Amino acid sequence: MLPSFFIAHGAPLLAIENNEYTRFLESLGTKLPKPKAIVLFSAHWESDVQKISNVSEFDTIYDFGGFPEELYQIKYPAKGDSKVSTEIEDLLATEGIPCETNTSRGLDHGAWVVLRRIYSKADIPVISMSVNPSLSPAEQYKIGKSLAHLREKNILIIASGGTVHNLRAVRMDGRTEVDQWALDFDQWLEEKLSSWDLESLFNYETLAPAAQHAVPPFGKEHFIPIYYAMGAADQEKTSILLHRSYRYGNLSHSVWQFGELK
Protein backbone atom coordinates (compact mmCIF):
# COMPACT_ATOMS: atom_id res chain seq x y z
CA MET A 1 0.00 0.00 0.00
CA LEU A 2 1.32 3.40 -0.97
CA PRO A 3 1.33 6.45 1.31
CA SER A 4 -0.34 9.70 0.26
CA PHE A 5 1.71 12.87 -0.10
CA PHE A 6 1.44 16.62 0.16
CA ILE A 7 4.08 18.11 -2.13
CA ALA A 8 4.87 21.79 -2.61
CA HIS A 9 5.17 22.78 -6.26
CA GLY A 10 6.84 26.13 -5.55
CA ALA A 11 7.49 28.45 -8.48
CA PRO A 12 7.40 27.16 -12.08
CA LEU A 13 11.19 27.56 -12.23
CA LEU A 14 11.47 24.34 -10.23
CA ALA A 15 10.86 22.56 -13.52
CA ILE A 16 14.32 23.58 -14.77
CA GLU A 17 16.31 24.37 -11.63
CA ASN A 18 18.89 22.15 -9.95
CA ASN A 19 18.73 22.70 -6.21
CA GLU A 20 18.22 20.92 -2.92
CA TYR A 21 14.49 20.57 -3.43
CA THR A 22 14.51 19.41 -7.05
CA ARG A 23 17.11 16.79 -6.18
CA PHE A 24 14.92 15.58 -3.33
CA LEU A 25 11.89 15.23 -5.59
CA GLU A 26 13.91 13.26 -8.13
CA SER A 27 15.10 10.90 -5.41
CA LEU A 28 11.57 10.40 -4.07
CA GLY A 29 10.43 8.57 -7.17
CA THR A 30 13.29 6.08 -6.84
CA LYS A 31 12.23 5.18 -3.31
CA LEU A 32 8.64 4.24 -4.15
CA PRO A 33 7.30 1.27 -6.07
CA LYS A 34 6.07 2.33 -9.50
CA PRO A 35 2.36 3.10 -9.00
CA LYS A 36 -0.43 1.80 -11.16
CA ALA A 37 -1.75 5.36 -11.48
CA ILE A 38 -1.43 8.76 -9.84
CA VAL A 39 -4.35 10.77 -8.49
CA LEU A 40 -3.27 14.39 -8.09
CA PHE A 41 -5.14 17.27 -6.45
CA SER A 42 -3.74 20.55 -7.76
CA ALA A 43 -4.02 23.97 -6.13
CA HIS A 44 -4.25 25.42 -9.63
CA TRP A 45 -7.50 23.68 -10.49
CA GLU A 46 -10.30 25.23 -8.44
CA SER A 47 -13.97 24.32 -8.80
CA ASP A 48 -17.16 24.47 -6.77
CA VAL A 49 -17.95 20.82 -7.55
CA GLN A 50 -15.27 18.15 -7.33
CA LYS A 51 -13.83 17.60 -10.81
CA ILE A 52 -12.22 14.39 -12.01
CA SER A 53 -10.24 14.23 -15.22
CA ASN A 54 -11.04 11.53 -17.74
CA VAL A 55 -8.79 12.12 -20.73
CA SER A 56 -6.81 9.84 -23.02
CA GLU A 57 -3.67 12.06 -23.01
CA PHE A 58 -3.06 15.37 -21.26
CA ASP A 59 -1.98 18.60 -22.87
CA THR A 60 0.53 20.69 -20.90
CA ILE A 61 -0.88 23.96 -19.52
CA TYR A 62 1.46 26.95 -19.08
CA ASP A 63 -0.57 28.83 -16.49
CA PHE A 64 2.09 31.46 -15.78
CA GLY A 65 3.81 34.32 -17.54
CA GLY A 66 7.13 36.11 -17.71
CA PHE A 67 9.36 33.08 -17.29
CA PRO A 68 12.21 31.77 -19.49
CA GLU A 69 11.17 30.38 -22.87
CA GLU A 70 12.62 27.01 -21.84
CA LEU A 71 9.66 26.47 -19.52
CA TYR A 72 7.15 26.85 -22.33
CA GLN A 73 8.84 24.10 -24.33
CA ILE A 74 8.35 21.45 -21.64
CA LYS A 75 5.79 18.76 -22.32
CA TYR A 76 4.42 16.18 -19.90
CA PRO A 77 2.20 13.98 -22.08
CA ALA A 78 0.84 11.70 -19.37
CA LYS A 79 -2.08 9.48 -20.25
CA GLY A 80 -5.26 9.10 -18.25
CA ASP A 81 -7.02 5.97 -17.01
CA SER A 82 -10.78 5.92 -17.53
CA LYS A 83 -11.25 2.92 -15.22
CA VAL A 84 -9.62 4.72 -12.31
CA SER A 85 -11.58 7.89 -13.09
CA THR A 86 -14.81 5.90 -12.97
CA GLU A 87 -13.77 4.22 -9.74
CA ILE A 88 -13.16 7.63 -8.18
CA GLU A 89 -16.63 8.72 -9.25
CA ASP A 90 -18.10 5.65 -7.57
CA LEU A 91 -16.12 6.16 -4.35
CA LEU A 92 -17.23 9.78 -4.09
CA ALA A 93 -20.84 8.88 -4.86
CA THR A 94 -20.81 6.29 -2.07
CA GLU A 95 -19.96 9.08 0.37
CA GLY A 96 -22.55 11.44 -1.09
CA ILE A 97 -19.93 13.78 -2.55
CA PRO A 98 -21.06 15.51 -5.78
CA CYS A 99 -18.58 15.28 -8.64
CA GLU A 100 -18.23 15.83 -12.38
CA THR A 101 -15.81 14.48 -14.97
CA ASN A 102 -13.75 16.68 -17.26
CA THR A 103 -12.61 15.30 -20.61
CA SER A 104 -10.54 18.19 -21.97
CA ARG A 105 -8.43 19.97 -19.34
CA GLY A 106 -4.66 19.52 -19.46
CA LEU A 107 -2.19 19.37 -16.58
CA ASP A 108 -1.44 22.73 -14.94
CA HIS A 109 1.99 23.52 -13.55
CA GLY A 110 0.90 22.52 -10.05
CA ALA A 111 0.65 19.03 -11.47
CA TRP A 112 3.30 18.67 -14.17
CA VAL A 113 6.16 20.42 -12.37
CA VAL A 114 5.85 17.93 -9.50
CA LEU A 115 5.16 14.89 -11.66
CA ARG A 116 7.99 15.58 -14.07
CA ARG A 117 10.48 15.81 -11.23
CA ILE A 118 9.34 12.57 -9.58
CA TYR A 119 8.44 10.51 -12.66
CA SER A 120 10.21 12.14 -15.60
CA LYS A 121 9.14 9.59 -18.23
CA ALA A 122 5.41 10.46 -18.02
CA ASP A 123 4.71 6.73 -18.28
CA ILE A 124 2.24 6.47 -15.37
CA PRO A 125 -1.47 7.24 -15.91
CA VAL A 126 -2.66 10.40 -14.15
CA ILE A 127 -6.08 11.43 -12.89
CA SER A 128 -6.16 15.15 -12.16
CA MET A 129 -8.45 16.39 -9.38
CA SER A 130 -9.67 19.89 -8.53
CA VAL A 131 -9.76 21.51 -5.08
CA ASN A 132 -12.46 23.68 -3.55
CA PRO A 133 -11.32 26.46 -1.17
CA SER A 134 -14.96 27.18 -0.29
CA LEU A 135 -15.37 23.86 1.49
CA SER A 136 -14.52 23.48 5.15
CA PRO A 137 -11.30 21.64 5.99
CA ALA A 138 -13.43 18.77 7.32
CA GLU A 139 -15.16 18.46 3.95
CA GLN A 140 -11.85 18.55 2.09
CA TYR A 141 -10.53 15.88 4.43
CA LYS A 142 -13.63 13.75 3.74
CA ILE A 143 -12.96 13.82 0.00
CA GLY A 144 -9.46 12.50 0.57
CA LYS A 145 -10.75 9.89 3.01
CA SER A 146 -13.25 8.62 0.46
CA LEU A 147 -10.35 7.73 -1.85
CA ALA A 148 -8.24 5.90 0.74
CA HIS A 149 -9.13 2.53 -0.81
CA LEU A 150 -7.16 3.47 -3.93
CA ARG A 151 -3.91 3.29 -1.96
CA GLU A 152 -4.48 -0.44 -1.47
CA LYS A 153 -4.52 -0.80 -5.26
CA ASN A 154 -1.06 0.69 -5.72
CA ILE A 155 -2.50 4.06 -6.74
CA LEU A 156 -0.50 7.06 -5.54
CA ILE A 157 -2.41 10.04 -4.13
CA ILE A 158 -0.61 13.39 -4.29
CA ALA A 159 -1.87 16.81 -3.21
CA SER A 160 0.13 19.67 -4.71
CA GLY A 161 0.24 23.12 -3.15
CA GLY A 162 2.33 24.92 -0.53
CA THR A 163 2.09 25.40 3.24
CA VAL A 164 3.42 28.97 3.12
CA HIS A 165 2.48 30.59 -0.19
CA ASN A 166 2.08 34.37 -0.08
CA LEU A 167 3.34 35.74 -3.37
CA ARG A 168 2.94 39.32 -2.13
CA ALA A 169 5.46 38.61 0.63
CA VAL A 170 8.19 36.77 -1.29
CA ARG A 171 11.58 38.46 -1.37
CA MET A 172 13.67 38.53 -4.54
CA ASP A 173 16.63 40.30 -2.93
CA GLY A 174 18.84 37.20 -2.84
CA ARG A 175 19.11 37.01 0.93
CA THR A 176 19.08 33.46 2.29
CA GLU A 177 17.55 33.99 5.74
CA VAL A 178 13.97 32.80 6.16
CA ASP A 179 11.29 35.10 7.55
CA GLN A 180 10.45 34.19 11.14
CA TRP A 181 6.69 34.29 10.57
CA ALA A 182 7.01 31.57 7.92
CA LEU A 183 9.09 29.42 10.25
CA ASP A 184 6.61 29.95 13.10
CA PHE A 185 3.66 28.87 10.96
CA ASP A 186 5.40 25.78 9.59
CA GLN A 187 6.58 24.77 13.07
CA TRP A 188 3.03 25.00 14.41
CA LEU A 189 1.82 22.98 11.45
CA GLU A 190 4.48 20.33 12.02
CA GLU A 191 3.41 19.91 15.64
CA LYS A 192 -0.27 19.53 14.76
CA LEU A 193 0.35 17.21 11.81
CA SER A 194 2.67 15.01 13.86
CA SER A 195 -0.02 14.53 16.51
CA TRP A 196 -2.84 14.36 13.93
CA ASP A 197 -4.64 17.13 15.80
CA LEU A 198 -7.53 17.61 13.41
CA GLU A 199 -9.40 20.02 15.66
CA SER A 200 -6.48 22.45 15.63
CA LEU A 201 -5.68 21.88 11.97
CA PHE A 202 -9.26 22.52 10.91
CA ASN A 203 -9.12 25.81 12.85
CA TYR A 204 -5.66 26.91 11.75
CA GLU A 205 -6.92 30.34 10.70
CA THR A 206 -7.49 31.36 14.32
CA LEU A 207 -4.95 29.13 16.09
CA ALA A 208 -1.77 29.12 14.00
CA PRO A 209 0.76 31.94 14.36
CA ALA A 210 0.92 34.23 11.33
CA ALA A 211 -1.85 32.23 9.67
CA GLN A 212 -3.24 35.19 7.73
CA HIS A 213 0.22 35.96 6.37
CA ALA A 214 1.23 32.38 5.58
CA VAL A 215 -2.16 31.48 4.10
CA PRO A 216 -3.73 34.71 2.84
CA PRO A 217 -7.25 34.62 1.39
CA PHE A 218 -5.80 34.92 -2.13
CA GLY A 219 -3.49 31.93 -1.51
CA LYS A 220 -5.75 29.60 0.44
CA GLU A 221 -6.04 27.17 -2.47
CA HIS A 222 -2.36 26.28 -2.02
CA PHE A 223 -2.72 25.27 1.61
CA ILE A 224 -5.92 23.24 1.52
CA PRO A 225 -4.61 20.33 -0.59
CA ILE A 226 -2.95 19.10 2.58
CA TYR A 227 -6.36 18.08 3.93
CA TYR A 228 -7.09 15.93 0.87
CA ALA A 229 -3.78 14.11 1.32
CA MET A 230 -4.33 13.64 5.06
CA GLY A 231 -7.83 12.27 4.56
CA ALA A 232 -6.48 9.53 2.33
CA ALA A 233 -4.47 8.26 5.31
CA ASP A 234 -7.20 8.61 7.93
CA GLN A 235 -7.07 4.93 8.87
CA GLU A 236 -3.42 5.17 9.94
CA LYS A 237 -3.20 8.80 11.06
CA THR A 238 0.59 8.92 10.71
CA SER A 239 2.64 11.71 9.19
CA ILE A 240 6.31 12.21 8.35
CA LEU A 241 7.97 15.44 7.26
CA LEU A 242 10.28 14.26 4.47
CA HIS A 243 11.62 17.62 3.37
CA ARG A 244 11.35 21.31 4.11
CA SER A 245 13.29 24.18 2.62
CA TYR A 246 12.50 27.74 1.53
CA ARG A 247 13.02 30.04 -1.42
CA TYR A 248 12.54 33.78 -1.76
CA GLY A 249 12.51 34.35 1.99
CA ASN A 250 9.33 32.47 2.85
CA LEU A 251 8.02 30.28 0.00
CA SER A 252 8.01 26.84 1.58
CA HIS A 253 9.01 23.62 -0.14
CA SER A 254 7.48 21.01 2.14
CA VAL A 255 6.87 17.35 1.47
CA TRP A 256 4.67 15.44 3.90
CA GLN A 257 4.03 11.72 3.81
CA PHE A 258 0.78 10.43 5.26
CA GLY A 259 0.36 6.75 6.03
CA GLU A 260 2.97 4.08 5.46
CA LEU A 261 4.43 2.13 2.59
CA LYS A 262 3.36 -1.47 3.12
Side-chain angles (χ1 to χ4, degrees), residues 164-210:
V164 179
H165 191 278
N166 185 341
L167 296 184
R168 296 180 186 175
V170 296
R171 291 188 284 103
M172 308 301 289
D173 55 14
R175 290 184 294 165
T176 58
E177 59 268 29
V178 181
D179 291 332
Q180 189 61 48
W181 59 266
L183 294 172
D184 290 344
F185 179 83
D186 267 343
Q187 182 58 48
W188 180 91
L189 186 62
E190 180 179 354
E191 292 173 0
K192 304 308 178 185
L193 288 172
S194 297
S195 60
W196 211 269
D197 183 352
L198 292 181
E199 182 177 357
S200 294
L201 290 165
F202 288 173
N203 292 282
Y204 78 92
E205 291 179 287
T206 56
L207 297 179

Side-chain angles (χ1 to χ4, degrees), residues 5-262:
F5 292 91
F6 173 83
I7 301 177
H9 60 252
L13 285 171
L14 281 179
I16 58 176
E17 289 178 329
N18 177 16
N19 56 43
E20 175 188 4
Y21 186 47
T22 61
R23 291 189 293 271
F24 171 81
L25 292 179
E26 289 170 356
S27 70
L28 181 61
T30 68
K31 297 174 182 177
L32 297 170
K34 185 176 180 179
K36 172 186 174 182
I38 300 170
V39 175
L40 189 144
F41 291 89
S42 173
H44 287 277
W45 189 9
E46 297 180 55
S47 65
D48 293 333
V49 176
Q50 180 62 57
K51 296 295 182 75
I52 308 162
S53 71
N54 191 344
V55 301
S56 56
E57 183 174 316
F58 288 96
D59 292 326
T60 304
I61 301 175
Y62 309 102
D63 49 338
F64 46 78
F67 287 91
E69 182 60 27
E70 182 182 357
L71 277 175
Y72 303 94
Q73 303 305 316
I74 293 174
K75 304 289 185 184
Y76 194 82
K79 298 187 183 304
D81 188 317
S82 60
K83 291 183 179 179
V84 177
S85 295
T86 299
E87 184 172 5
I88 291 172
E89 285 186 81
D90 293 342
L91 290 171
L92 293 174
T94 298
E95 297 300 321
I97 299 170
C99 63
E100 298 174 355
T101 57
N102 180 288
T103 59
S104 60
R105 190 179 189 274
L107 292 177
D108 57 66
H109 84 271
W112 64 259
V113 167
V114 168
L115 292 173
R116 185 170 176 269
R117 281 299 187 179
I118 301 175
Y119 297 110
S120 61
K121 296 181 179 179
D123 59 350
I124 301 169
V126 174
I127 295 83
S128 184
M129 306 283 287
S130 66
V131 298
N132 184 354
S134 298
L135 295 178
S136 69
E139 290 171 314
Q140 294 153 355
Y141 186 96
K142 180 182 178 182
I143 291 172
K145 184 178 178 180
S146 72
L147 304 185
H149 177 62
L150 298 176
R151 295 175 48 218
E152 300 174 6
K153 296 188 172 185
N154 196 37
I155 294 174
L156 180 62
I157 298 175
I158 295 175
S160 170
T163 58
V164 179
H165 191 278
N166 185 341
L167 296 184
R168 296 180 186 175
V170 296
R171 291 188 284 103
M172 308 301 289
D173 55 14
R175 290 184 294 165
T176 58
E177 59 268 29
V178 181
D179 291 332
Q180 189 61 48
W181 59 266
L183 294 172
D184 290 344
F185 179 83
D186 267 343
Q187 182 58 48
W188 180 91
L189 186 62
E190 180 179 354
E191 292 173 0
K192 304 308 178 185
L193 288 172
S194 297
S195 60
W196 211 269
D197 183 352
L198 292 181
E199 182 177 357
S200 294
L201 290 165
F202 288 173
N203 292 282
Y204 78 92
E205 291 179 287
T206 56
L207 297 179
Q212 298 304 310
H213 210 39
V215 188
F218 55 84
K220 191 175 180 180
E221 75 286 343
H222 277 74
F223 181 71
I224 62 167
I226 203 164
Y227 296 123
Y228 295 84
M230 286 187 75
D234 177 78
Q235 186 174 354
E236 296 144 285
K237 295 182 175 64
T238 60
S239 61
I240 304 171
L241 178 61
L242 299 180
H243 178 92
R244 184 164 63 213
S245 57
Y246 297 87
R247 291 292 298 279
Y248 315 118
N250 50 62
L251 185 65
S252 66
H253 292 159
S254 299
V255 177
W256 280 92
Q257 174 183 316
F258 301 114
E260 300 175 2
L261 178 61
K262 298 179 181 178

